[in-house]
Amino acid sequence: EQINIDNNGDIIIGGFFSSNSINLGSGIILNITGSSADLFIVKYSQSGIPIWAKSFGGNDDDNDIDFKVNNLNEIYVCGSFLSSTYSIGSDNYTNLGFEDFVIFKLTDLGVPIWSIQNGSNLEDDASTISITSQDEIYVTGLFNSSVLNFNSSSNLNSGGYDLFITKLNENANNIYLLEQFQPLKIFPNPIDEWINIYLTEGAQELC
């Protein structure tokens, strides 16, 4: 589902697995329930030697993932989960509706630094994450719930599935949601199934 290369030339791969366990070369990682999909992230050296592997999930299918690597080789991840409970390190989350999403940060060794959960009564999906050189975090996705909240910022659903874009700082504090996001360009316009989103100032690609 996703592959990135860090500043050391190490290769980081993210995806999901439904098998009882998976051996990515750094040792066996177990599926939380042994039947539904869990996320995995694995890191290999330039020569293909496994460095570490981590899995994240719960008791249902959790199979959406996107991640980016910063200049310190730390990893920012977003993903969605259907599980009733979901764990990232010592952080445990309870699903607030049908599908929620998480955003989290890992060290270069795969150790969780922080994580946050978001979602409400229906399907809410974070699909893409991007970071700037100052570690400002942009996350995009769709939400079907009546409202989506990030700290003091809220977006009301206009009907069906709405697009959201949110900006967080490196410590996961929300800066703003879509309605405060200016200037913004969406291409192509009108959009079809896939979109590209750019900051018009500096034309920085977000997703």
Side-chain angles (χ1 to χ4, degrees):
E1 291 249 323
Q2 182 70 261
I3 185 168
N4 277 286
I5 298 175
D6 68 15
N7 285 336
N8 295 328
D10 295 331
I11 304 161
I12 305 166
I13 301 171
F16 61 92
F17 68 104
S18 298
S19 302
N20 291 336
S21 62
I22 184 171
N23 190 342
L24 298 168
S26 63
I28 295 174
I29 55 177
L30 299 176
N31 190 298
I32 301 298
T33 61
S35 57
S36 55
D38 284 355
L39 303 183
F40 74 83
I41 299 177
V42 60
K43 187 175 195 177
Y44 296 96
S45 70
Q46 297 181 54
S47 56
I49 298 173
I51 299 174
W52 54 259
K54 303 287 183 178
S55 65
F56 309 93
N59 59 352
D60 207 330
D61 286 334
D62 311 307
N63 55 7
D64 289 328
I65 184 173
D66 189 45
F67 68 90
K68 296 295 184 294
V69 183
N70 70 7
N71 292 328
L72 298 176
N73 301 325
E74 297 167 326
I75 305 166
Y76 291 89
V77 186
C78 72
S80 303
F81 67 97
L82 291 168
S83 296
S84 57
T85 58
Y86 190 90
S87 299
I88 302 168
S90 60
D91 295 335
N92 299 300
Y93 298 108
T94 299
N95 196 308
L96 301 174
F98 175 67
E99 181 176 23
D100 288 358
F101 61 89
V102 288
I103 304 167
F104 57 99
K105 181 179 181 180
L106 305 175
T107 69
D108 62 335
L109 298 176
V111 179
I113 299 174
W114 54 254
S115 65
I116 59 173
Q117 173 193 12
N118 211 308
S120 190
N121 57 311
L122 295 175
E123 184 177 359
D124 308 304
D125 178 24
S127 57
T128 302
I129 190 168
S130 286
I131 56 174
T132 68
S133 57
Q134 290 78 38
D135 274 14
E136 296 171 321
I137 309 160
Y138 293 87
V139 179
T140 66
L142 298 173
F143 71 104
N144 193 26
S145 296
S146 56
V147 63
L148 187 68
N149 297 304
F150 272 93
N151 294 341
S152 59
S153 299
S154 298
N155 259 2
L156 295 176
N157 191 298
S158 299
Y161 288 89
D162 283 3
L163 168 73
F164 77 84
I165 303 170
T166 188
K167 180 181 178 181
L168 309 171
N169 66 21
E170 62 179 313
N171 297 314
N173 295 313
N174 176 245
I175 298 174
Y176 49 59
L177 274 169
L178 176 64
E179 68 270 22
Q180 299 165 291
F181 192 94
Q182 297 292 335
L184 180 70
K185 179 181 179 181
I186 297 178
F187 178 82
N189 191 6
I191 64 171
D192 48 27
E193 184 178 0
W194 298 101
I195 62 173
N196 294 299
I197 302 172
Y198 297 86
L199 284 171
T200 57
E201 181 180 356
Q204 181 179 3
E205 182 176 354
L206 297 184
C207 69

